[in-house]
Amino acid sequence: MNNDFGYEFNMYNNGPYSPELANYYYEKLDINAIESDIMNKNWKLDAGFIKRFLDLFKNKELDWLVVASTLVDNTNYFEEEQEILNKVYAMKSDYSKSYIDDVWNDLKDYALVKYESGLKLNSLLSAF
């Protein structure tokens, strides 16, 4: 979402994990305190970040967040959309491919990943 808050992530059971960010989250669940920290620490923040962040994440279930974070993290290691999806299909085999595809498409709709659209169309056309 065009913001770098300086947290380092490691791959963990459910996807990328940052102990430092988790500690921050549990200490600062108050959105006003978070906004204050953003201003005090001079973090780069574009104007609509908080609204976009809450629009995307506030009603998501844990499973969606697990898959989404793993998809986003894998964009750092693979260039092709299908490579990313294949890796996540293998890593998160307890989720259906269609569920992972749906999360991927959500991420693309919010421009959190930038790859050519048409995943399902390409899969459909490959049958011919």
Side-chain angles (χ1 to χ4, degrees):
M1 298 183 106
N2 298 323
N3 295 285
D4 179 6
F5 298 111
Y7 292 104
E8 296 288 325
F9 291 85
N10 301 311
M11 188 51 71
Y12 195 65
N13 294 342
N14 293 321
Y17 178 75
S18 170
E20 195 177 11
L21 178 58
N23 289 336
Y24 176 81
Y25 171 80
Y26 289 114
E27 292 171 2
K28 305 279 186 175
L29 292 176
D30 177 13
I31 195 71
N32 293 325
I34 293 171
E35 285 179 342
S36 174
D37 278 354
I38 289 168
M39 298 310 225
N40 292 336
K41 293 181 180 180
N42 263 344
W43 284 337
K44 178 186 173 197
L45 180 67
D46 67 341
F49 170 75
I50 292 173
K51 181 183 178 340
R52 287 193 325 274
F53 182 86
L54 291 175
D55 285 347
L56 177 60
F57 294 110
K58 77 176 180 181
N59 293 319
K60 299 297 189 211
E61 70 276 358
L62 178 61
D63 290 335
W64 188 95
L65 294 170
V66 166
V67 172
S69 63
T70 304
L71 285 164
V72 170
D73 185 63
N74 274 278
T75 64
N76 295 317
Y77 306 106
F78 301 99
E79 293 181 13
E80 299 292 325
E81 179 175 7
Q82 197 59 55
E83 287 179 305
I84 294 164
L85 289 166
N86 288 341
K87 181 64 174 179
V88 176
Y89 295 154
M91 292 173 69
K92 300 295 178 190
S93 60
D94 46 329
Y95 298 98
S96 71
K97 288 182 178 181
S98 65
Y99 183 78
I100 293 169
D101 291 346
D102 289 344
V103 174
W104 178 257
N105 288 325
D106 286 346
L107 294 171
K108 289 195 311 188
D109 289 345
Y110 277 86
L112 294 175
V113 291
K114 295 178 178 118
Y115 292 92
E116 294 295 316
S117 59
L119 168 71
K120 293 179 182 178
L121 179 62
N122 288 340
S123 296
L124 176 66
L125 293 176
S126 67
F128 296 101

